[in-house]
Structure formats: structure tokens, C-alpha cells
Amino acid sequence: MASRSSNRLVVPEAKEALNQFKLEAAKEVGTPLTNGYNGDLTSRQNGSVGGQMVKKMVEDYENRIK
């Protein structure tokens, strides 16, 4: 049975921008993320990319409300 992802973009046109953001975050934390297959990366590496993305989003929000 094929799994269905519940991760749906609210604005589908933003997909490319989100992918670029993810690649930039990966570069900042030193994770060799690519546009293709990344199944050889560890959970820790993938988690560091997600954590960096959240950190940057929070910083951006804090700068906007000042």
C-alpha cells in the first residue's frame, strides 16, 4: 500500500522556494543535502537541517515584530 503524505503546501507555488531554503539551511550546518536521493543521510543530519530552518524562521519573525 502506498503511503500518502499529509504534508501539503498551503501555497503550492512556494515549493521551489522551500526547497531552496532547505538547501541553504543544509549548507549552513554542513549537511551534504542534494535535490535528489538523500536516504544515506542520518537522522541527526536531517534533523539539523530542519532545526536550522526553524531557527531561521523564528529569527526572521522576531526581526519583523521589532
Side-chain angles (χ1 to χ4, degrees):
M1 180 175 174
S3 65
R4 292 185 288 159
S5 175
S6 62
N7 295 334
R8 297 199 179 139
L9 295 176
V10 176
V11 182
E13 296 82 14
K15 185 174 184 172
E16 184 56 38
L18 286 171
N19 284 334
Q20 185 63 35
F21 181 48
K22 181 171 43 175
L23 291 172
E24 289 173 12
K27 186 175 182 180
E28 289 173 7
V29 295
T31 300
L33 194 67
T34 63
N35 277 326
Y37 177 76
N38 289 295
D40 55 342
L41 298 177
T42 66
S43 296
R44 173 174 240 142
Q45 288 173 307
N46 286 317
S48 67
V49 173
Q52 181 69 7
M53 290 173 70
V54 171
K55 179 180 173 183
K56 292 181 71 67
M57 287 185 277
V58 169
E59 287 174 355
D60 182 62
Y61 177 76
E62 287 176 340
N63 288 333
R64 289 177 189 228
I65 63 171
K66 288 182 181 179

